[in-house]
Amino acid sequence: MNTVSANTIGLCLEPLDVLFFRDGRPFLSGTENMVSGLPLPQTLAGALRTALLRSAGCDFKRLRQALETGQPLAQAVPAVCPPAYHWIGQLAVRGPWLARWIDARKQTYEVLVPMPAIVHRAKPAGACHAPALSQKETEAKRQPAQCFRLAPLPEGRLPGWDPPADQRGLRPLWLKHLGPTEPAQGYLTRDGLEQFLRGGIPQGDAVVCSGDLFGLDHRTGIGITPDRLAVEKSQIFGRGFLVLNPGVFLYAEISLPEASALDGIDILALGGEGRRVAVRRLDEPFAWPEAFPSDGEKPLLLLTTPCVFEAGWRPRALANCLVAAAVPAPLAFSGWDLARGGPKPTRFAAAAGTVFFLDSLPPDWQSTVAETDEDRQLGWGCCLAGVWNDE
C-alpha cells in the first residue's frame, strides 16, 4: 500500500452528523442490523462513484438500463458520460479507515488499523468473589494488559494434530505464554502498526481502544401511517447511529487522472438515512509503513480492509506460499443492486486484521489480495507486508 501513484489522493471524510451503515436485510423488530456498523469499502466506493457521475452529467436512467443488460460498470459508463469522464467506470478507491488528527492545521494525521488477529492480551482474572482492592491496586488493574504474539508452530512439533480439510498443509499457531490470554481488541496507531510489521508486539500507547474513536448514539423512533400521518400501534423501534469522536475522521485513497476531478464535490452522501460527510483533499496521502524480510525472516500479510475469496478464507494469490493464517470470524455483507432494484446476495469476507504467514511474497505482489478487478477497484483486500521469524 505504500506504492502510491502520483495521482493517488488522500481524502478526509468528516461526518456532518451521526452516520448509519447496515447490510441489505430488512428492518425487523429485535434485529441487530438496526445498529450501525463501520462503513465497508463498497459503500465508500459507491458514494464516490455516484458523486463523480453526477458531476459529469451522467444519465442515470440509461446507466441503469445498461447495467440491467449485464454490462459491467466499466463498459456502461462510456455510453452515458462525456469522453472526458469515461475513467469513472474504472475508478479505484481504497479504504475507508479510521484516522485521527495529530495537528489539523498542519494536516498531520495518522490512520488506525484494526488489531491484527495474532495479537493476544493477558486475560484479566475473574472479578467474582474477588477481595476488595485498594486504590493503588485498582489503578494498576486499569493499566493496559501485556500483549503477546502468536506464531506458526515449528514443523513436526504437534503429534496427533488432524486439521480440517481446508487447513491441511498449514501449521497451527501457538503462543509462548503459560497464562490465559484472549484476542486483543482495538486499533493500532502508525507506530504500533510499524512495530507489528517489523515483528514486534505493540504495547501501551500504540493500542487505541474503539471507545476512544467512536461510539453509538441510540435513538427511538415510531412508525407513522402515510395516509393519516398517525402513529402506528406498537410500531416503536430503536436505532444505533455511529458517532465519531472529536478529531476522528474516515480516511480513503482515490486514484484520479487529475486532482481537479474532485472540484465541486465538498459534501458526500455516505451510508443510509441520508447522512452526509464533508470531503477534504489532504496535502499528502498517508505514508503506510511496511517491512520486508532480511536475515532469515519470512514475510506476512496483514489485511487492513476486508476481502472476499473464492475459496472461503484462503486467497488464491497465496496458494503456493501460505504457511499459516489467523482469520477472525467472517464478515457477512450484501448491499443494494441498482440493476435489480433489490438487495444483493449475501457474501462473506475475511475481516480486516486477518494475518497470513508466508514462505515468500507472490512474484506479482501489488499490495492487494482481491481476486477480481471489481473488488480491487472497490477497495477490498488492501494489505501490508510485514515479517515473522520461523523459530
Side-chain angles (χ1 to χ4, degrees):
M1 218 178 312
N2 61 349
T3 56
V4 177
S5 71
N7 296 326
T8 295
I9 296 172
L11 296 180
C12 164
L13 308 175
E14 294 183 304
L16 300 176
D17 195 355
V18 295
L19 299 174
F20 191 68
F21 304 100
R22 57 181 288 269
D23 57 25
R25 292 175 294 173
F27 280 128
L28 298 172
S29 60
T31 56
E32 293 183 357
N33 69 331
M34 299 183 78
V35 175
S36 175
L38 293 172
L40 295 175
Q42 65 180 20
T43 305
L44 171 65
L48 286 169
R49 281 176 172 176
T50 301
L52 288 166
L53 287 169
R54 185 172 288 114
S55 68
C58 169
D59 185 334
F60 283 96
K61 182 178 179 180
R62 289 177 57 201
L63 176 62
R64 177 171 180 169
Q65 291 172 345
L67 294 175
E68 287 176 343
T69 65
Q71 289 188 45
L73 184 67
Q75 295 179 13
V77 166
V80 297
C81 286
Y85 298 95
H86 288 181
W87 55 268
I88 297 177
Q90 299 179 352
L91 178 71
V93 178
R94 286 175 293 277
W97 297 277
L98 291 169
R100 63 182 181 182
W101 292 111
I102 298 174
D103 189 331
R105 291 177 299 176
K106 297 181 179 179
Q107 281 210 10
T108 55
Y109 62 97
E110 66 176 348
V111 175
L112 301 113
V113 301
M115 181 69 69
I118 64 170
V119 178
H120 276 221
R121 64 189 291 271
K123 194 170 185 178
C128 296
H129 309 295
L133 299 177
S134 66
Q135 182 177 357
K136 184 176 181 180
E137 289 172 326
T138 301
E139 292 176 355
K141 286 282 186 181
R142 291 174 181 169
Q143 297 303 312
Q146 184 179 5
C147 289
F148 307 92
R149 181 176 174 132
L150 298 173
L153 191 71
E155 293 184 280
R157 298 290 184 88
L158 190 62
W161 184 56
D162 185 20
D166 64 342
Q167 298 178 26
R168 285 173 186 164
L170 302 181
R171 290 153 59 178
L173 299 176
W174 74 307
L175 182 64
K176 293 181 180 179
H177 180 68
L178 295 179
T181 66
E182 61 186 1
Q185 304 297 319
Y187 293 78
L188 294 184
T189 66
R190 190 193 187 284
D191 289 343
L193 177 60
E194 184 171 15
Q195 187 177 9
F196 171 81
L197 295 175
R198 294 185 180 279
I201 303 172
Q203 306 278 4
D205 293 340
V207 178
V208 180
C209 297
S210 60
D212 293 333
L213 301 175
F214 61 87
L216 289 174
D217 182 355
H218 294 278
R219 301 182 182 182
T220 301
I222 56 175
I224 301 292
T225 57
D227 53 345
R228 296 184 296 113
L229 298 180
V231 177
E232 290 190 10
K233 187 176 181 179
S234 302
Q235 294 299 310
I236 300 177
F237 60 90
R239 292 179 184 170
F241 293 87
L242 179 68
V243 181
L244 299 188
N245 290 357
V248 178
F249 60 93
L250 296 173
Y251 172 78
E253 293 174 352
I254 182 170
S255 297
L256 298 172
E258 55 185 26
S260 60
L262 285 173
D263 288 351
I265 301 178
D266 301 318
I267 303 294
L268 189 69
L270 186 63
E273 301 287 326
R275 304 298 171 172
R276 301 290 192 271
V277 295
V279 181
R280 184 196 307 188
R281 278 173 275 186
L282 297 167
D283 293 338
E284 296 289 340
F286 184 62
W288 292 97
E290 285 193 294
F292 296 94
S294 64
D295 300 328
E297 295 172 328
K298 292 185 177 181
L300 63 75
L301 296 180
L302 169 66
L303 276 184
T304 62
T305 62
C307 192
V308 177
F309 303 117
E310 183 179 347
W313 61 269
R314 299 184 71 155
R316 185 170 57 228
L318 308 180
N320 298 322
C321 54
L322 188 61
V323 174
V327 186
L331 175 68
F333 69 97
S334 55
W336 192 259
D337 192 316
L338 177 65
R340 291 174 55 247
K344 295 179 180 179
T346 299
R347 304 170 75 192
F348 293 89
T354 295
V355 177
F356 298 107
F357 293 88
L358 311 177
D359 273 326
S360 61
L361 283 173
D364 56 348
W365 167 240
Q366 297 180 352
S367 297
T368 178
V369 287
E371 296 185 343
T372 67
D373 289 338
E374 173 69 5
D375 282 352
R376 193 173 299 111
Q377 291 167 4
L378 291 176
W380 298 99
C382 295
C383 52
L384 297 169
V387 300
W388 64 286
N389 291 295
D390 192 2
E391 54 183 31

